[in-house]
Amino acid sequence: MNGSRWMLIILIAVVALFLVSWAIKSFPSSGVTVSWSSIRHAFFVTLAAFVTLAIFSFLYKDNPYYKFAEHLFVGVSAAYWMCVGFWSTFVGNLIPRISPGLSKFFGVPYKEFTFYYFVPLILGILLLMRLSSKAGWLSRWALAFIVGTTAGLNLIRYLRSDFISQVSNTFVPLLVQWKGAGAFFSDFSLASGGQFTLMLTNWVIFIGTFCGLIYFFFSKEHKGVFGAASRVGIWVLMITFGASFGYTVMGRVSLLVGRLTFLFDDWLGLLN
């Protein structure tokens, strides 16, 4: 039996399982009234479950079911954001400022005629020229404008939120509310808001940042005390990268738990 025949048999089996699952989901028990909305809900829940299983099938190897789910996700996402952009940007912002008739047609209040709103309209039309093989080069003007403005706006935003914020957060007091050694030991506490914990946190930030900067200082040979500080900087960087990787893994595991909860609860109804 060749491979195409096996693929046809598997496709028939998947379709049959989908129909059986849809039927069981639509008629859960004799005491529940079956309506068109429950059948439609059962169809979408079953479809979502099978698409989720198609995504999980990539754990075996790349296959047509995974590609179908991947292309479906990309297509639905593109269509969704296309609709959001049309109703929020085109209808919500542009139409009320260019035509009272179009505002009445789309049911949005007309504001006032604004000439410069035609600039993004022209750039949007130029962007759609990408679909034409002869006039596709016109879309480069719109893409250049989008890339330039996005880079300029994000430069300021990242400069404020990342660079300046990161630098200011490293300027921490090493002696928090210091009232002398006697008061420090008499009020010694390991609580998260205690003076000892705050001072220890600030010292770790200071030493970690200082040693991390030493590691990137290549004008002096890394040996002796300077080399020891450089190696401490390497450990600080590795711990930081590990924490970032762990945070990313935790997010992916959270997504996996969400999909497994959907399969065992919404689809199979095994969870209480």
Side-chain angles (χ1 to χ4, degrees), residues 13-266:
V14 170
V15 173
L17 288 174
F18 176 83
L19 295 176
V20 171
S21 174
W22 183 18
I24 295 175
K25 194 69 180 175
S26 302
F27 304 95
S29 61
S30 58
V32 179
T33 304
V34 179
S35 61
W36 166 246
S37 61
S38 65
I39 296 175
R40 183 179 58 185
H41 176 73
F43 172 79
F44 285 117
V45 170
T46 307
L47 178 62
F50 271 75
V51 172
T52 302
L53 294 175
I55 292 292
F56 285 162
S57 67
F58 186 75
L59 296 174
Y60 170 64
K61 67 176 184 179
D62 196 8
N63 58 81
Y65 299 100
Y66 169 76
K67 291 180 179 178
F68 168 75
E70 183 184 30
H71 287 77
L72 180 65
F73 175 77
V74 173
V76 171
S77 299
Y80 173 78
W81 287 113
M82 187 72 181
C83 293
V84 171
F86 176 80
W87 288 103
S88 62
T89 303
F90 188 78
V91 177
N93 292 326
L94 179 63
I95 293 299
R97 291 176 173 83
I98 62 173
S99 172
L102 290 175
S103 300
K104 184 178 180 181
F105 177 78
F106 284 102
V108 292
Y110 178 72
K111 297 180 179 178
E112 61 178 349
F113 181 80
T114 309
F115 176 74
Y116 61 81
Y117 269 70
F118 281 93
V119 175
L121 176 62
I122 295 173
L123 291 175
I125 295 174
L126 291 179
L127 198 60
L128 292 177
M129 291 296 106
R130 186 75 177 177
L131 302 175
S132 173
S133 58
K134 295 183 179 179
W137 61 273
L138 291 173
S139 64
R140 297 175 184 173
W141 292 95
L143 285 175
F145 181 82
I146 293 173
V147 171
T149 53
T150 303
L153 293 174
N154 285 335
L155 175 64
I156 298 174
R157 184 166 62 87
Y158 281 115
L159 193 63
R160 288 178 178 175
S161 61
D162 289 351
F163 181 73
I164 296 177
S165 177
Q166 291 291 331
V167 171
S168 63
N169 288 333
T170 57
F171 288 94
V172 291
L174 299 179
L175 297 176
V176 181
Q177 299 176 356
W178 182 252
K179 299 177 183 177
F184 174 77
F185 286 106
S186 62
D187 299 334
F188 185 80
S189 173
L190 295 178
S192 60
Q195 186 181 15
F196 173 75
T197 305
L198 293 176
M199 288 177 57
L200 180 62
T201 302
N202 292 348
W203 273 98
V204 169
I205 294 174
F206 169 73
I207 295 175
T209 305
F210 187 71
C211 293
L213 291 175
I214 287 178
Y215 171 71
F216 290 102
F217 191 80
F218 302 110
S219 299
K220 180 179 174 55
E221 188 176 359
H222 290 190
K223 64 180 183 178
V225 178
F226 194 81
S230 175
R231 286 190 290 274
V232 172
I234 294 174
W235 278 99
V236 171
L237 291 173
M238 292 298 105
I239 293 173
T240 305
F241 294 152
S244 300
F245 179 74
Y247 183 77
T248 304
V249 171
M250 186 174 63
R252 299 298 185 271
V253 170
S254 177
L255 291 175
L256 176 62
V257 170
R259 297 318 302 167
L260 292 178
T261 303
F262 168 78
L263 290 176
F264 287 100
D265 188 11
D266 296 65

